[in-house]
Amino acid sequence: MHKRLIIIGSGPAGLTAALYAARANLAPVVFEGIQPGGQLTITTEVENYPGFPGGIMGPELMDVFRKQAHRFGAASLYKNVTKVEFRSRPFRIWTDEEEYTSDAVIVATGASAKLLGLPSEKRFMGYGVSACATCDGFFFKGLNVVVIGGGDTAIEEATFLTKFAVKVTVVHRRDLLRASKIMQEKALRNPRITFVWDSVVEEIMGTEEGGKKAVTAVRLKNVKTGVVSEIPADGVFMGIGHMPNTALFAGQLDMDSVGYLVPRGRGTVTNIPGVFAAGDVADSVYRQAVSAAGTGCMAAIDAEKWLAEHASGVAPHYESSEAAGRSS
Ligand code: NDP
């Protein structure tokens, strides 16, 4: 099956790209992947997405994104891409069952917060366990939270959380932080932050009484002494890093040492003409839904221009700048 534009990924970046590309008459197809709607579907209330003064639940926000894109002719395929071939044209994209070809591709596969792998962490995700202080910190006003990790993410999250929580405990598996010196110093000076060194989280404890889930404590183990302890906590923030979802593109798209895609210049153009990158998959710094949506819009505009200029046989009927949504 041949498409003009395939979008891989269905978070804010992928679905915004779909909206803009649909309005440019490109009839984009979105491969929604294993987590349709992306990372926001594992959060609860989103209070920092502009346009929703009363907040909106993450999954609902992504439904709204999807509906808006579908309204203009984008289609979703609830399939996972398992292989791509971008070194020949048309581009080839495989799912478990089928092969698709496409003139242009927007990669918006996002990033996934690294998790510890504990069943309890999964059980309380969105109910006390979070991987995004910017998104969820506000819910912990006046409460105790634990941040796990010793890198810049953990230390930045811990510092941010002191705006809300009365006590932030950073649990790190070594006795030396990996975070940049300046961030370390700031955190070490912060009276609301306490450090527990050489310790790993063995279990996240909580209650599910009356169907209401909440975190109550974490059980720690000191890796040097073997001593097991428990500290009360209302929230647990994972700060052990993110992994961009780019394994699929290894050897084809340029990546940095961690695996984030590296677009050329300020736009979304990758090293392969006709393949564009948007959202967290190419952003290790901001990682916000609104910034992902912004780059999704950019990728659709870049793709539309590229198709008009380079794929003459299959170029879309080019209407006007309004078709790309620029005047809306
Ligand atoms: P990092 O990989 O730098 O740090 C991850 C931290 O989590 C490390 O301290 C690591 O421990 C710990 N960790 C990893 N896995 C586990 C585990 N299974 N159990 C317990 N602890 C674990 O990731 P970051 O997300 O912090 O940073 C990624 C990149 O993004 C870095 O380059 C960073 O500088 C950058 N960044 C920059 C920011 C800024 O400048 N404002 C903000 C956030 C990130 P250990 O140290 O023992 O390996």
Side-chain angles (χ1 to χ4, degrees), residues 188-323:
L188 289 163
R189 274 200 313 266
N190 192 318
R192 286 200 186 187
I193 301 179
T194 304
F195 287 86
V196 177
W197 305 106
D198 298 318
S199 297
V200 292
V201 173
E202 277 201 331
E203 193 69 271
I204 296 167
M205 279 106 109
T207 163
E208 299 188 42
E209 266 171 40
K212 218 175 156 224
K213 291 197 239 177
V215 166
T216 54
V218 291
R219 189 167 70 230
L220 304 178
K221 184 179 178 183
N222 185 301
V223 291
K224 284 190 176 156
T225 62
V227 170
V228 174
S229 62
E230 206 175 295
I231 53 173
D234 304 293
V236 181
F237 285 80
M238 299 300 155
I240 62 173
H242 286 77
M243 282 303 291
N245 300 319
T246 51
L248 207 53
F249 315 109
Q252 301 192 50
L253 296 180
D254 285 351
M255 299 175 192
D256 66 13
S257 59
V258 179
Y260 285 94
L261 299 186
V262 185
R264 308 213 150 166
R266 290 176 58 223
T268 64
V269 174
T270 68
N271 54 304
I272 297 187
V275 178
F276 305 86
D280 287 10
V281 75
D283 173 16
S284 62
V285 179
Y286 302 105
R287 296 195 293 238
Q288 298 301 301
V290 66
S291 49
T295 55
C297 156
M298 289 160 62
I301 292 173
D302 287 345
E304 182 206 358
K305 277 191 189 150
W306 186 84
L307 282 168
E309 286 165 13
H310 295 96
S312 52
V314 289
H317 171 63
Y318 203 83
E319 286 188 333
S320 66
S321 60
E322 202 283 328

Side-chain angles (χ1 to χ4, degrees), residues 114-116 148-154 156 171-174 176-180 183 199-200 239-242 258 284-285 287:
K114 285 203 260 174
L115 300 176
L116 296 172
I148 302 161
D152 279 331
T153 294
E156 191 172 70
V171 176
H172 184 34
R173 64 183 176 185
R174 294 188 291 141
L176 206 65
L177 293 173
R178 181 182 291 278
S180 51
M183 286 168 78
S199 297
V200 292
I240 62 173
H242 286 77
V258 179
S284 62
V285 179
R287 296 195 293 238

Side-chain angles (χ1 to χ4, degrees), residues 13-163:
L15 292 177
T16 303
L19 167 65
Y20 274 73
R23 286 173 57 80
N25 284 349
L26 293 173
V29 168
V30 182
F31 283 90
E32 296 244 356
I34 46 173
Q35 190 176 52
Q39 289 186 74
L40 281 192
T41 60
I42 56 162
T43 63
T44 48
E45 197 164 8
V46 179
E47 293 191 324
N48 59 2
Y49 200 87
F52 297 92
I56 182 167
M57 297 302 278
E60 197 188 335
L61 179 61
M62 297 324 298
D63 276 349
V64 174
F65 268 59
R66 187 178 292 107
K67 276 192 190 121
Q68 196 174 355
H70 286 185
R71 182 179 150 213
F72 295 102
S76 289
L77 290 179
Y78 294 90
K79 293 178 178 178
N80 195 30
V81 172
T82 51
K83 190 176 140 193
V84 298
E85 178 50 68
F86 292 161
R87 290 165 292 201
S88 55
R89 283 158 208 277
F91 301 130
R92 297 166 76 195
I93 288 162
W94 288 266
T95 64
D96 276 336
E97 307 94 33
E98 278 169 291
E99 179 187 338
Y100 296 78
T101 55
S102 177
D103 298 316
V105 174
I106 293 174
V107 174
T109 45
S112 304
K114 285 203 260 174
L115 300 176
L116 296 172
L118 301 170
S120 53
E121 161 190 60
K122 242 188 189 158
R123 192 156 62 243
F124 292 107
M125 183 58 72
Y127 297 90
V129 176
S130 169
C132 177
T134 321
C135 320
D136 299 327
F138 186 78
F139 302 112
F140 296 90
K141 256 187 179 166
L143 301 176
N144 282 328
V145 300
V146 165
V147 176
I148 302 161
D152 279 331
T153 294
I155 299 310
E156 191 172 70
E157 303 247 302
T159 306
F160 180 78
L161 285 165
T162 59
K163 290 182 184 188

